[in-house]
Every structure is written in C-alpha cells, then in structure tokens.
Amino acid sequence: MEPPWWRLPSVIPLLLAVSALLIVIVGGSIRINDAGESCPEWPTCFGTWHFIVSEEDQGAYWAENPDQIDSRGEDHRYTVFQIFVEWFHRMLVGVIALPIVYNVIAARKARERYGRGVERAAQFSAVLLVVQATAGYVTVRFDNADWTVALHLSLACLFMAGLIWQYMAMRIEEGADWGFLQAPRDFVEAHSKRVYSMTAAVGVLLVLGAWVSSSAGGQYNQSCSVGFPNGWPKCQGSILPSLDSPGIFIQFMHRSGALLVGLVLVLGVVNLRSASQGQPGTSQIVRLALLTMAMWMFNVMVGASYLIFAKVGDFPEWLSLLHLVGGVAAFLAAMLLTFAMRFSRSHDRGAQHQGEQE
C-alpha cells in the first residue's frame, strides 16, 4: 500500500513551493506598506541584524552613511512595522535556503529512482535561490527601481515553477495516475505551441503588472484617476486617453496587455475544448486551461475593483496585494498546463519505447 502523500519524498519540493509563495506574498506586503526601502542596505538593516530601529538610530545611520539615503530623503523615518516586514521577508529567504540544500542532496541520493531530470530540477532551484537573493540585493541597491522589482518577481515565479515541475516529475515516478498522461501524442504535438503561447502571454502580463505597481514608487497606479467609469474601464474619462503622460502610458500598456492576454486565453481554451472531444486523457488539460483563464478573469476584476473603490490619495492596498497573488496564481496555473503537456508527451514516448522493447 502506497504511503500517504505527506510521507512521500515528493512532498519536499511541494512544501518548498508553498513556502516560496508565502515569500512572494510577504514581498507584496512590503510594497503596499511602503516599506520597500525600509532597510537601506543588504543583508543588514540600518547596520543591524534586527528590525527594532528607532527614529533616532535611523537619523544617526543616515548621518554616518549619507550615500545610503533613499529617494524619500534623510528626514524620512520608517516605523518598526515597516522595517519588520522587510526584515521578515529576508529572514524567510534565509530560512528556505537550508531545505533547498537538503532537497538537492535528497534528489542526488534518489537519482536512480527519480532520474537525472529531478536532480537537475533540484539543482536549478538552488541556483535560482542564489540568483534571487542577488536580485534582492540589486533591488535594495537601486532603491526599488521598477525593472528591479519586475526582475525580482519574475525570478520568484520561475523558482516556484521549477519546484512544481520537480514535484510533478517525482509524483509521476511514484505512480501518480494523472489523466493528462494519457493524452494522445497527436493532440499534444498539435497544441503544444498554443499552450506555450498562453503561458508566455500570462508571464508577460505579470511583468507588466510589476512594472505598473513599481514605476514612480507606485504613483502611476492612480494615473487614470479612480472610480467608475472614469478610472475604470475608462482612463481619465476616456476610452483612448492621451498617452503624453508616462503614468497613463504605462497604465494603458498594462490594460491593453490584459485584453490581449484574455484574447489569447479564450481562443486557446476554445481550440483545446474543440480538439479534445472524444480524446482520452485530454479533459484534465482542458480544465487546467480553464483554470488559467478563470484566474485571469478573477484578476481583471480585482484590478478593476482596486481603481473603482479607490478614492483620490486613498487606495485599498489589500486589493493590490490580492491582485499580485492573483497574477502569480494565473502564471502558476499556466505553468501547470505547460508541464501537463510536456509530461504527457514524454510519458507517451516512454510508453511507446517500452512497447517496442516488449
């Protein structure tokens, strides 16, 4: 009898992926609490390893390190809570490092059972964690410049995706009977490029969202005004606003991108559903495509609510955090869809090779 899932070796990358998602959520909390620069250097914070830094200590640090003064100026002071959120985010990254190393060692020891692909996936996650920590330093070094925030989020999503791939690969070797593994080879080969384009579109939209939220310290979120319909679906009361303002231009790019991604997802789902009729093992693939589209629709509604329910100078930041989580969830759903297609193809080839040997 197979042991419960939580006692299988594959639970390690799954728990790591969940932990990484928690780190992303805490990272989003940093932005909505305006704490992105509350630790002026890395890896220490105001020259200490703790988060309790008084206003007097902050002032003394600025006096001794004038080159570290951020965009808010030397007179700005951060609350202990703001510093704690940034400190806690860094602590989580440090805590996850140990199980990541253990994951590499465990995958190497179990190479004969799970294959070199799983071992390389574990190594990829370890390398990406180091790269991600470096990106965190770069983000602090450049005072949360928009490109650094987008890079930091993108790497975090790739980190989670790599762990999910490892989990799925291990579960398949452990005998998981997932329906998509039975999808016909001709179906997979005919629609793989379409699925990849859906995933790429969702990924680009996620980067655009990070760009909007971080540009000009997040002030571009209000470039299109607020309320219904002037703030959304219109922008400054117009469907096609003037793009002279950088903020309006970035907002328009994000909204246009969301519409284009929606079109790609809808067409992709329609084609997959049409081609899956009567095909064994394709229903799970279609459901994953529908899940991706549903997450996109949910996130569009959250983004719209963020502007509709906002007041000038007063935005419901919890909706901004939910918007981030929704975007990450849509991307991970799209990656699950891509992995399902990839594993289905490799499983089909493996079964065919086994049949030829017999």
Side-chain angles (χ1 to χ4, degrees), residues 169-241:
M170 293 178 73
R171 284 296 295 127
I172 289 171
E173 291 299 325
E174 290 166 353
D177 188 22
W178 288 327
F180 60 77
L181 295 174
Q182 309 305 321
R185 183 174 181 178
D186 56 348
F187 174 88
V188 174
E189 293 184 348
H191 297 283
S192 289
K193 290 184 178 179
R194 178 173 289 110
V195 167
Y196 299 158
S197 66
M198 293 167 66
T199 302
V202 175
V204 171
L205 182 61
L206 182 65
V207 174
L208 279 174
W211 183 30
V212 172
S213 64
S214 58
S215 295
Q219 296 302 310
Y220 286 168
N221 283 331
Q222 52 191 296
S223 297
C224 282
S225 188
V226 296
F228 179 86
N230 289 335
W232 195 94
K234 296 180 179 181
C235 180
Q236 293 292 344
S238 175
I239 295 295
L240 295 174

Side-chain angles (χ1 to χ4, degrees), residues 100 104 117-131 155 158-163 166:
I100 281 289
V104 173
V118 167
E119 182 184 9
R120 285 194 292 266
Q123 293 169 348
F124 170 79
S125 298
V127 171
L128 204 56
L129 181 65
V130 176
V131 175
L155 289 172
L158 290 177
F159 178 68
M160 284 185 285
L163 290 167
Q166 182 188 347

Side-chain angles (χ1 to χ4, degrees), residues 64-145:
E64 295 176 3
N65 302 274
D67 57 315
Q68 296 285 1
I69 296 174
D70 59 39
S71 59
R72 293 169 176 80
E74 60 181 321
D75 295 326
H76 183 80
R77 297 293 182 267
Y78 294 97
T79 66
V80 172
F81 177 75
Q82 287 175 313
I83 299 173
F84 167 76
V85 175
E86 172 64 19
W87 178 88
F88 185 59
H89 179 65
R90 296 182 183 186
M91 186 201 71
L92 288 176
V93 175
V95 168
I96 202 176
L98 290 178
I100 281 289
V101 172
Y102 175 77
N103 183 45
V104 173
I105 297 173
R108 182 173 180 80
K109 289 182 177 179
R111 181 170 54 191
E112 291 188 6
R113 178 181 182 184
Y114 294 106
R116 290 188 178 273
V118 167
E119 182 184 9
R120 285 194 292 266
Q123 293 169 348
F124 170 79
S125 298
V127 171
L128 204 56
L129 181 65
V130 176
V131 175
Q132 178 71 331
T134 304
Y137 162 77
V138 172
T139 302
V140 174
R141 176 67 178 79
F142 289 92
D143 290 339
N144 287 273

Side-chain angles (χ1 to χ4, degrees), residues 205 232-233 254-255 257-263 265 292-308 319 322-323 326-327 330:
L205 182 61
W232 195 94
H254 181 54
R255 295 185 184 191
L259 289 176
L260 289 175
V261 169
L263 180 62
L265 293 178
T292 303
M293 188 176 70
M295 292 307 306
W296 165 82
M297 293 180 65
F298 168 77
N299 215 31
V300 167
M301 290 187 291
V302 172
S305 300
Y306 177 70
L307 294 173
I308 290 173
L319 282 175
L322 185 60
H323 195 42

Side-chain angles (χ1 to χ4, degrees), residues 234-317:
K234 296 180 179 181
C235 180
Q236 293 292 344
S238 175
I239 295 295
L240 295 174
S242 171
L243 302 181
D244 294 338
S245 166
I248 293 178
F249 173 76
I250 292 176
Q251 277 279 359
F252 189 77
M253 287 288 292
H254 181 54
R255 295 185 184 191
S256 299
L259 289 176
L260 289 175
V261 169
L263 180 62
V264 170
L265 293 178
V266 170
L267 291 177
V269 169
V270 169
N271 278 280
L272 286 173
R273 290 193 67 177
S274 176
S276 68
Q277 300 299 323
Q279 297 268 31
T282 58
S283 59
Q284 283 191 0
I285 292 175
V286 173
R287 281 198 289 270
L288 285 173
L290 285 169
L291 175 63
T292 303
M293 188 176 70
M295 292 307 306
W296 165 82
M297 293 180 65
F298 168 77
N299 215 31
V300 167
M301 290 187 291
V302 172
S305 300
Y306 177 70
L307 294 173
I308 290 173
F309 294 112
K311 298 178 181 179
V312 176
D314 183 19
F315 281 72
E317 295 299 345

